[in-house]
Every structure is written in structure tokens, then in C-alpha cells.
Amino acid sequence: GNVGGSGDDLRMSYTAQGHTVGLAQRMETLASPDTCYLSGATAALVTGYFALEDLGEFRVKGISEPVGVHRLLGPGHLRTRFDASRSRGLTRFVGRSADMGTLEDALVQAQVGTAQVVGVVAEAGTGKSRLCHEFAERCRGRGITVNVGRALAHGKHIPYLPMLEVFRLYYGIAEDDDDRTAREKIAGRLLLLDDTLRESLPVLFEFLGVPDPARPVPQMDPDAKQRQVFAILRSAIHDSQGDARHLVVMIEDLHWLDAASEALIAGWVNGIAGASALLVLNFRPEYRADWMQQPWYRALPLAPLGAAETHELLDDLLGRDPSVAGLADRIHAQTSGNPFFTEEVVQSLVDAGDLVGTRGAHRLVVDAATIRVPPSVHGILAARIDRLPEREKLVLQTAAVIGQTFAEPLLTTITALPESDVRTALASLQTAELVYEQSPFPVAEYVFKHALTRDVALGSQLQQRRRQLHGAVASAIEAAHPDKLDEQAALLAHHWEEAGEVITSASWQMRAAQWVRRRDFAASARHVERALDLVRRAPDAPEAPLLGATICRAILALGFRTGLARDDAERIFAEGLVWAERLDDPLFAGRLHQAISVLYTFDLDLPAALRHAAEWERAASAMADPELRSYAKWPSLGPLRATGDLEGARRNAEWQLDATRDQPTWGLREWAMGARAGALIELSWHAMFTGDLERARALADQAMNVARETRDLENQWGSLVVLAATAFYAGLPEPSRATVQRLAELSERAGSEWLRSDSRFRVGMQLLLGGDARAAAELLERECMDVRGRLALTRPLIQTYLAESLRRMGELDRARLLIESTHAFMKERGLRVWLIEAALVFARILHDAEGAAGSDRIAPLLDEADALIADTGARLFTPFVAVERAAVAGLRGDAAARVRLLRDAHGLFTAMGATGQASRVMAEIA
């Protein structure tokens, strides 16, 4: 019966590998209420961790042979748990003394405060994981903490998979911990380490998949969240300072690493300097990363075993019976010293019956001259799998569909076999060394001994069966993790795609994109692009038009953050319109227009931006949803201001402000910035450009308050940009410096590169205002070189003030060449407000370069500036033009006109609240 079969399974399993959970269930019938009994096999696993009393053998109902029983007395002398699955059934560890010495040396250096990163690099099967395992066991034997994370072959598109494993181990989170318990563990360790990280707790909770409903993460750019995680990581790295244990972290199989984890690894390596920490990584030779250039990184390439080492390994496997003489040479020649391949060849001969006996005592029972060593490991594995009994083959093939690592309950669900049959089959597969148990708690979890084993088991099935199994796996995961579906979305998308359900897979890809978007724009974009590929494969599905239009809009919405090329954006936009037309819903077409309008604004194609903004306004204005209508005019605000239609931008902003009355959160859902705060920011720009600096500051402060209430970091940043600009134009270095410092700090929290770029530009302006032209020029020139693609929006103004910095440094030829090209570009693109500033800088450069001879060239520039001021209403610049006209009068020797123009400028500066500029002009008059 089932009990007898389960008993046999447990007896077999614990003799060879162990299966603690199942045996404990059967031991409970023997133990009295005040005692705890363990089987002999379980005792062998935990000896050292616990003190035990051997009670001898007992007869257990349902188990045919006596079971050795031990009574638990109390805790033992060992504090850490060895990785049971990696400590059982391993062959002799040979040929790696020098490699182990390298790791030991790195550990010694880390222990004295010289951080080390070691990359163990080798081809598949050469022994990377075995070396790391043996080193980890040595560390644990000395009481050194080792946290391990593993990248998986099917996890390349699952963000942070190995990093989450490492972090959860670091914070002591168990699989069966509920979210509250996990948060308590995280907060306890983090705050003990650094109380200043308290504000980062919501981000860390979300990152580790245990968000706190009472403390949601504020609206912020995914890059900002990643930077906060990096900050926490740096604290964790340095946590080991002064700790005798010295934290050691291992991350395996980087060649399967997802992009988000790669970024985190880079931050880890770059931030490890100065810590008493050792980071051990392993990967295949094709893996490359920029962090490998760091001086504290060393590569540890593993060579295949030599003939002597292979013979030593085969002595352990085969023994030295005369019948196996010469077999080791043939195996070494076939496997080229690859330890995994060597073991597989021996096991294939055992399975075929050519070798009989036990490990280390085998006899060859066929004619040695007729035996044929299989030519490839793939063939070896395929033959071994084909020879398995049907039940074991079914279990192995089903496990291969689940993944490199698989949990027993999920496997049981998919196979629909009795639990006892699955356990018996797994015990047989462990004995055959095809899989091994990775963790017995809280559920038994197994892993394929090698990725090649899983690949062959997967490929040995008919496509139709694989599809059915993938669908069953997806359904089982959905049922097993109903409260963690966002975290499982990428894995579900993979299984549904392999099941042939491309529309379902596309939907899960979009859910994965939405989940990871909070952390990583680039990863989100990859999921969205994959979703579009899937939908294209089923264009006639009923769900395809809605999904296709939504996906195209998402690609465009991510576009300016990910650097989507204009040609690609236009192609996606056109495809999105085709999908939207099939829906006969103007809102979807409107959303596409909205998203591409923003892209065109960043590309400085302002006429195109305004055309598409008008299409969005038309669609949104017709919607019944008042929130949608409230930001119908939002995409037009930026391009209207940039083209100099300040009144048009003001009217639209006032309309938006009125539409969002008492609704400060509207807009956050759709495009992640509050519509009300955005309207106030636009009105503050209008007040500044029209010459009312006091009102501009008041409106920016009001916008800041709204943005803070709604945790809207981007609009907090936007408010500070206006405040920094008003301080600059007012000529107030100290307020400018303080505001720019706040701006830089906030842009780092917000994390978006275009925000950081603009913040660096504001720092350059502040340096210029403070009189440090050289530092300003160095920063702005570096920024000009860095700004490209999606950041083109800021480049013309950066170039304008770089030219001004060069002028003040006396590099007039460079300054003139730069301002000439910038002025021409602004005129071509219709950037009328910025063009006023470029004309003023151009005039100053000509003044310094040509003196009185250049006055005839300066006058037309100032006339152009006055005409633009009259046309746009940008009265902020009127006194600046008067100052430059005074300078021309001085060149011409007209002192009276010079003083009159300076007095006019002083009055205008004073009236608009530009007190610093007014003082400077008064000094010139004096």
C-alpha cells in the first residue's frame, strides 16, 4: 500500500540521501508527548547540530525493515546548517589545491579589511560549483557566514532572482515566514546597522517581495529605487567590519544572470572597497562585465583535470579491480578531464550493466575490447534517461519542464502521481545522481545535478507533451501563489509561452513589466517588447487588439527613459494605431498620441509634439472619466513653453489646475506625476518668464507642498528646478547654491538619468553665478559630451551656458563657435525663449572678442532678443537686454546712454525681485 511504499522510499532515501520531513511524520507514532524521535538516517544528517541518544532499532508500521531511532536531547555544538544536498554523494574532490589556495588567500585579505572579489570561471562541468561548495564548507566550518544565490537558466528574464535569494538569507528570512515576520527581520537588522536608512525600509520591503500596506513606496523613478537598494547593499557589505565572522557571499552561474541583477552585482563590486568582505562569483568564459577591471577583482580560471587527477577521481569511482585496468585512460581521453562528464560516463556504464559492484569497488563484466565509451555527454545522458523506469522517467521529464530547481509539492501536482510514488522516484533519481535534494525545509526542493541533464530531459519529450506540462506548471504556480503573482509573473509568462498560449503569456509579460517598472525601466521595456512579439504571433485572437494597443503605448511611455530611437518609436506608434483602430475606441489612439508627444518633446521636434498633444487632448476631453479629462492638456505644456507660447501654456495650466481642484493625486495613476502639482509648476515658470519672480517662488512652493503630500518625487524635483532658476536669474548665489544642493539630492532619489542630467546643468549654472567659471565649464562640457538620445531636450541650454563659461575664462574662439551653432539650432527648432538667452550670450562673446568693431554685429542680436520678448511675453529678459545695450553704448563711447540704460535695467530688476542683479548693475553705475 501507500504506507509501505512510502516507508520503502524513506528507508532508501535516508540510506543514500535523506528525507527528513517524511521520516519525521512516521517517527511521531513512536515518540511520547514529551520526546522527539529521529530515524537513524535523520540522525546522520543532524549529528553535531543536535545532541542525540541512540535507542536502537524499532519496528514501524508500514515499513518492512527495522528503523534506527534516536532521541533528541538538545542542541549540539554546530551553529550553521551545511547544504545537505551538496554534502551527500559527492565524489572525491581532486586537483584543485592551487585553486582552493587562491580562495583562501582572498579570504585572508578580506579578513584584514582588504575587500576581495573572485571570479571562478570555467566551462560547464569543469567544477566551478564544486570548488565554491568546498570553499563554502570550509568557511562554515570556521563559523564564517556564507550566503549563496544562484542564477537559473530559465531565470534570465526574472529580475533579481539570485539577489533576492542572497538578501533573504542575509536578513534571515525563511520560506515559511509570513510578510509581517519578514518585515520585522528586515527592519531589525537594517536599523541596527544604520538607523539613517529608516526611510528606505518601504523600498527594501518591496524589493524583497514583502511590501508594507501601511507604508507604501512613494512615487519615484525605478532608477531611484535601485539606487536606494544599492545604498542598503553598501551598508550590508560593510556590516562585517569588526565582525569575526566576515561576511562571504557567493553568487553562482552569472552567465544566466538577469539584467537587473547584473546592475546590482556591478554596484556590489564597485562598492565593496574598504569592507571586510569577500564576494565569490562563478560563470562560464563567455560572461564579461565592466567591473572586472576593478583592482580588487581577480579571475580564477579552472582548467580541466589532468590525467593524474582524472585517474584519482576514477580510482574513487571505479576502484582498482584488474578488470577496469585501462578504462580510466579511455574515459579521460573521451571527457578531456571534465569532472562532470567523467562521472556521467561511469554512471552510464553502471546503468548499462557493464560495471557492477559499489562505488570504489566496481568490476567490468564485459569484454574490455568490446566496450564503447559514448562519444558525447548528450548521448550519455539521453541513453541514461531512456533506460529509466517509466515512473522515474515521467518524474524527471516533468521536473525538467518546471526548471533547473523544482519543489516536490509542485512536481507531485503536475505528475498527478501519489506523493509516495513521487518520493520513491526522486530517491531513485538521487541514487542515479541525476538530481539531488537542495533543501528539505519548509518543503523538499531538488535541483538537477547539471544543466545539461535538464536540457536533455526536456528535449527527450514530444513538443505536444512539453506544451501540456508547461501549461500545467503555470496553472499550478498560479494556484499555489495567489498572493505573489506579480513576483511570479515573468516565470508564468515563460511557461505559458512554452505551452503555446501566446496571448496569455503576453498578458503575464505585461504584468511582469508593470511589477519591475518600479525598479528597473530597462527590464520593464524588455518584458513589454517580448509581449509585443507574442501578440504579433496571434493577431486574430479576440484579446489581441486591446493588448497590442496597450503594449505599444507602454513601449512609447517608457521610450524617453530607455532611449527609444525615433524611427523605432514611429514604427511602434503606427503599429499601435492599427491595433487601436480594431478596437474602435478613441481613448487608446489618444494614449498613443500622448506617449509619442512626450518623446517628440524630448527630441525637440516641438511641432510634432504639439500635433500629437492635440490628438490626446481631443480624445481625453471626450472621456467621461474626470481624471482623464483633467490632464487632457498636460502633454502640450512643455512644448508650448519651449516654443515661447507662454500664454498658451498658462491657459492650459490654469485649466488643468481648475480641473484638479481638491484632487491632488489625479494623474499619478496614468503617467506617474500629479496633474495638480504639474499645473502649479507650469504657472510658476510662466510667472518667472514674465518677470514676477516672487509669484514664481510662491507657486513653486505651493507645487512642492502638493507633491510632498502625494509623495510625487518628480514634481518635487520640478518645483526645485523653478526655484533654482529664479535664484539664478535673480542673481542670488547663496539661495541658488542651497536650492541646487536640494535639487541634486532629490534627483538622485528620483533616479532618472534625465533628471540627474538637468540637475547637473543647474549645478553648472550655480557655479557660474558664484564666479567659478572654470568649474562650471568643466561640468557643463562633460555634460554636453554625456547628453544624447532621450536627453537631447537639455542640450541647447547646456551649450549656451558652456559658451558663457568659456567667455568668462577668456576662451573666446571656442565660445563663439559653440554659441553660433547653438543659436542657429535654436532658431531652426523654434526654441524662442531659449533663443533670447543664446542671443544675450552671443552678444557678450562678441563684445569681448571684437570690442567696438563688433558693435554692429551685437545690435541685431539684441534687436532679435527684444522682438522675441515682445512676441513671447518673456519680460524676465528685458533688463538683461538693457545691460547688453549699455555695454554697446560704452563701446561706442556714449557714456550718458550707458548710464541711462543701466538705470533702466536696475529699475526693472528691482521691480521683478531680482535683487542680486539690481545690486550688480548699481555697482556698474557707480
Side-chain angles (χ1 to χ4, degrees):
N2 286 342
V3 173
S6 179
D8 291 341
D9 170 31
L10 291 166
R11 175 174 50 78
M12 291 173 59
S13 173
Y14 275 86
T15 299
Q17 299 289 337
H19 207 294
T20 314
V21 176
L23 189 53
Q25 294 171 343
R26 286 150 181 81
M27 289 293 98
E28 66 183 356
T29 60
L30 296 177
S32 61
D34 59 344
T35 60
C36 180
Y37 285 2
L38 295 80
S39 73
T42 304
L45 292 175
V46 302
T47 295
Y49 295 104
F50 299 96
L52 307 174
E53 178 186 2
D54 187 351
L55 300 179
E57 293 187 337
F58 283 65
R59 286 282 178 182
V60 178
K61 182 179 180 181
I63 299 179
S64 57
E65 296 183 8
V67 174
V69 178
H70 295 249
R71 183 164 66 92
L72 178 64
L73 300 177
H77 64 282
L78 297 178
R79 294 180 178 271
T80 59
R81 180 180 303 280
F82 288 166
D83 186 352
S85 63
R86 292 179 179 264
S87 64
R88 296 192 301 271
L90 293 175
T91 54
R92 182 181 299 171
F93 184 58
V94 300
R96 299 297 181 207
S97 298
D99 302 315
M100 184 64 76
T102 299
L103 291 173
E104 292 280 3
D105 177 67
L107 178 62
V108 169
Q109 293 194 46
Q111 287 174 321
V112 296
T114 304
Q116 297 287 295
V117 180
V118 179
V120 181
V121 54
E123 297 287 354
T126 309
K128 302 183 296 296
S129 294
R130 179 65 186 276
L131 174 64
C132 289
H133 162 71
E134 295 293 338
F135 178 65
E137 291 298 286
R138 289 192 183 193
C139 291
R140 289 173 180 140
R142 302 168 190 171
I144 298 173
T145 301
V146 182
N147 292 335
V148 181
R150 300 171 182 86
L152 303 177
H154 65 279
K156 201 168 181 65
H157 300 295
I158 303 176
Y160 299 112
L161 191 62
M163 309 312 297
L164 289 172
E165 185 179 1
V166 169
F167 268 73
R168 284 167 175 158
L169 286 169
Y170 174 76
Y171 288 108
I173 301 171
E175 277 292 327
D176 56 349
D177 283 343
D178 59 29
D179 287 2
R180 180 183 179 87
T181 302
R183 288 194 295 270
E184 289 173 351
K185 289 181 176 181
I186 295 165
R189 177 151 194 174
L190 185 69
L191 299 182
L192 186 64
L193 170 64
D194 187 349
D195 191 66
T196 65
L197 295 173
R198 184 179 300 274
E199 293 301 315
S200 297
L201 276 174
V203 172
L204 186 57
F205 290 157
E206 180 189 80
F207 175 75
L208 292 173
V210 289
D212 186 355
R215 296 183 64 191
V217 177
Q219 292 288 334
M220 67 172 71
D221 190 295
D223 285 349
K225 296 182 182 180
Q226 189 178 69
R227 295 175 76 83
Q228 288 199 31
V229 171
F230 283 2
I232 297 166
L233 169 63
R234 283 191 291 272
S235 297
I237 293 169
H238 291 268
D239 185 17
S240 58
Q241 294 283 17
D243 183 345
R245 294 173 303 162
H246 298 288
L247 182 68
V248 176
V249 173
M250 287 184 177
I251 303 174
E252 298 203 44
D253 295 324
L254 265 60
H255 46 276
W256 289 326
L257 207 61
D258 62 280
S261 293
E262 283 196 293
L264 203 52
I265 288 286
W268 195 319
V269 174
N270 295 333
I272 202 172
S276 295
L278 171 60
L279 178 61
V280 180
L281 312 165
N282 70 46
F283 45 86
R284 295 178 187 171
E286 64 268 19
Y287 182 79
R288 294 286 187 275
D290 292 341
W291 48 258
M292 294 177 181
Q293 305 305 313
Q294 293 288 10
W296 47 85
Y297 169 77
R298 68 172 93 177
L300 176 55
L302 297 189
L305 297 179
E309 290 87 0
T310 302
H311 277 75
E312 186 178 353
L313 173 62
L314 288 168
D315 278 350
D316 180 60
L317 291 169
L318 297 173
R320 297 192 175 185
D321 189 85
S323 64
V324 300
L327 185 57
D329 290 332
R330 296 175 61 190
I331 293 175
H332 175 67
Q334 188 63 49
T335 62
S336 302
N338 185 297
F340 170 71
F341 297 169
T342 299
E343 293 174 31
E344 290 303 313
V345 168
V346 171
Q347 191 63 49
S348 73
L349 297 175
V350 171
D351 292 346
D354 297 338
L355 284 171
V356 296
T358 60
R359 176 167 151 179
H362 278 109
R363 291 181 297 107
L364 190 62
V365 296
V366 298
D367 186 348
T370 63
I371 191 171
R372 188 176 78 86
V373 177
S376 74
V377 173
H378 186 283
I380 294 169
L381 292 171
R384 290 188 60 202
I385 292 170
D386 191 55
R387 286 194 294 266
L388 289 172
E390 286 305 313
R391 181 184 61 185
E392 280 69 16
K393 187 187 298 183
L394 169 66
V395 169
L396 187 72
Q397 290 176 332
T398 305
V401 171
I402 296 172
Q404 181 72 11
T405 302
F406 53 95
E408 183 185 305
L410 179 59
L411 181 63
T412 302
T413 300
I414 305 306
T415 59
L417 292 173
E419 182 180 341
S420 59
D421 282 6
V422 173
R423 288 181 175 177
T424 302
L426 285 170
S428 298
L429 294 172
Q430 289 181 87
T431 301
E433 298 191 2
L434 292 169
V435 303
Y436 56 84
E437 189 181 30
Q438 181 167 266
S439 172
F441 299 108
V443 296
E445 189 174 77
Y446 296 81
V447 64
F448 279 88
K449 182 176 180 181
H450 196 278
L452 289 175
T453 307
R454 186 226 171 186
D455 291 343
V456 174
L458 193 63
S460 66
Q461 304 171 64
L462 294 175
Q463 184 183 59
Q464 184 60 33
R465 170 169 170 72
R466 285 204 309 269
R467 286 185 170 182
Q468 291 172 351
L469 287 175
H470 276 292
V473 170
S475 296
I477 291 173
E478 290 180 33
H481 303 282
D483 57 337
K484 300 285 186 182
L485 291 180
D486 286 340
E487 190 172 343
Q488 300 288 333
L491 184 59
L492 287 166
H494 161 74
H495 283 298
W496 282 122
E497 180 180 353
E498 293 297 321
E501 299 291 341
V502 293
I503 293 295
T504 304
S505 177
S507 297
W508 282 109
Q509 289 284 5
M510 288 299 289
R511 186 159 179 177
Q514 185 177 16
W515 182 66
V516 77
R517 183 181 185 275
R518 298 173 297 176
R519 311 177 187 189
D520 188 329
F521 280 132
S524 181
R526 286 192 292 272
H527 283 297
V528 173
E529 288 162 4
R530 184 61 187 152
L532 186 58
D533 289 340
L534 292 166
V535 170
R536 287 169 176 164
R537 287 161 52 182
D540 298 326
E543 307 92 337
L546 175 59
L547 198 51
T550 303
I551 292 168
C552 289
R553 193 262 179 175
I555 293 174
L556 295 173
L558 288 164
F560 78 89
R561 293 180 170 102
T562 59
L564 184 65
R566 177 168 177 151
D567 288 347
D568 292 334
E570 290 173 344
R571 176 179 51 79
I572 294 296
F573 174 74
E575 181 176 354
L577 286 180
V578 172
W579 292 114
E581 286 170 5
R582 290 175 56 185
L583 286 170
D584 194 26
D585 185 340
L587 179 60
F588 283 93
R591 282 181 164 140
L592 290 161
H593 284 289
Q594 178 206 43
I596 202 167
S597 173
V598 177
L599 278 168
Y600 280 133
T601 299
F602 274 79
D603 197 41
L604 288 175
D605 187 345
L606 303 178
L610 287 169
R611 284 197 308 273
H612 289 284
E615 291 295 332
W616 160 247
E617 181 177 347
R618 194 165 17 254
S621 298
M623 294 298 111
D625 185 341
E627 182 175 357
L628 281 174
R629 292 199 310 272
S630 73
Y631 50 88
K633 298 178 184 295
W634 169 70
S636 69
L637 299 180
L640 284 173
R641 176 169 20 106
T643 57
D645 187 356
L646 299 180
E647 284 305 302
R650 178 192 61 78
R651 286 193 301 272
N652 285 359
E654 287 182 344
W655 183 93
Q656 184 167 301
L657 189 65
D658 185 65
T660 55
R661 195 176 305 279
D662 301 321
Q663 297 293 342
T665 62
W666 277 5
L668 290 169
R669 179 184 65 182
E670 184 74 12
W671 41 271
M673 288 185 284
R676 187 165 186 80
L680 288 165
I681 290 171
E682 191 58 46
L683 290 172
S684 67
W685 280 114
H686 179 270
M688 186 192 74
F689 281 129
T690 54
D692 191 342
L693 298 186
E694 184 176 348
R695 175 171 165 76
R697 284 188 286 266
L699 286 165
D701 286 338
Q702 190 178 346
M704 174 63 80
N705 291 335
V706 174
R708 280 174 175 163
E709 288 174 6
T710 56
R711 299 182 178 181
D712 181 356
L713 283 183
E714 286 184 306
N715 273 330
Q716 290 180 46
W717 175 88
S719 304
L720 287 174
V721 169
V722 181
L723 291 171
T726 57
F728 177 81
Y729 291 119
L732 300 172
E734 186 52 35
S736 172
R737 185 198 61 78
T739 305
V740 165
Q741 183 176 349
R742 290 173 62 201
L743 181 65
E745 292 169 356
L746 188 60
S747 71
E748 289 301 313
R749 288 174 57 200
S752 171
E753 180 53 34
W754 70 270
L755 295 187
R756 286 198 292 269
S757 174
D758 194 273
S759 298
R760 290 190 292 267
F761 163 57
R762 304 292 166 183
V763 172
M765 292 180 72
Q766 192 276 323
L767 290 169
L768 193 60
L769 180 63
D772 194 344
R774 183 168 300 280
E778 290 175 357
L779 187 152
L780 294 173
E781 188 159 24
R782 188 164 59 248
E783 203 57 33
C784 277
M785 295 174 62
D786 289 344
V787 171
R788 59 182 68 88
R790 65 184 183 275
L791 306 175
L793 179 66
T794 58
R795 186 166 189 145
L797 207 53
I798 295 173
Q799 290 175 325
T800 297
Y801 282 96
L802 173 57
E804 172 67 12
S805 302
L806 293 171
R807 178 191 75 82
R808 297 191 189 186
M809 293 167 58
E811 297 188 22
L812 298 177
D813 289 340
R814 287 184 63 202
R816 177 158 41 186
L817 286 171
L818 182 57
I819 199 61
E820 283 176 346
S821 63
T822 303
H823 181 267
F825 177 83
M826 289 182 176
K827 186 174 289 188
E828 175 194 342
R829 294 299 179 100
L831 305 173
R832 295 188 296 164
V833 174
W834 290 356
L835 190 57
I836 300 170
E837 296 187 74
L840 289 167
V841 172
F842 203 164
R844 294 181 198 124
I845 292 169
L846 290 175
H847 176 282
D848 291 0
E850 300 182 11
S855 60
D856 290 340
R857 293 187 61 196
I858 296 172
L861 288 167
L862 300 179
D863 291 342
E864 176 187 54
D866 276 334
L868 288 167
I869 291 169
D871 192 32
T872 63
R875 294 181 293 277
L876 169 70
F877 299 107
T878 300
F880 292 98
V881 175
V883 170
E884 297 312 315
R885 289 195 183 278
V888 172
L891 289 174
R892 292 172 174 171
D894 190 346
R898 174 181 175 274
V899 171
R900 175 177 52 79
L901 286 164
L902 287 174
R903 290 189 184 281
D904 290 345
H906 178 268
L908 290 169
F909 279 133
T910 300
M912 70 171 56
T915 54
Q917 300 291 359
S919 297
R920 182 176 63 82
V921 171
M922 182 55 70
E924 286 195 42
I925 294 172

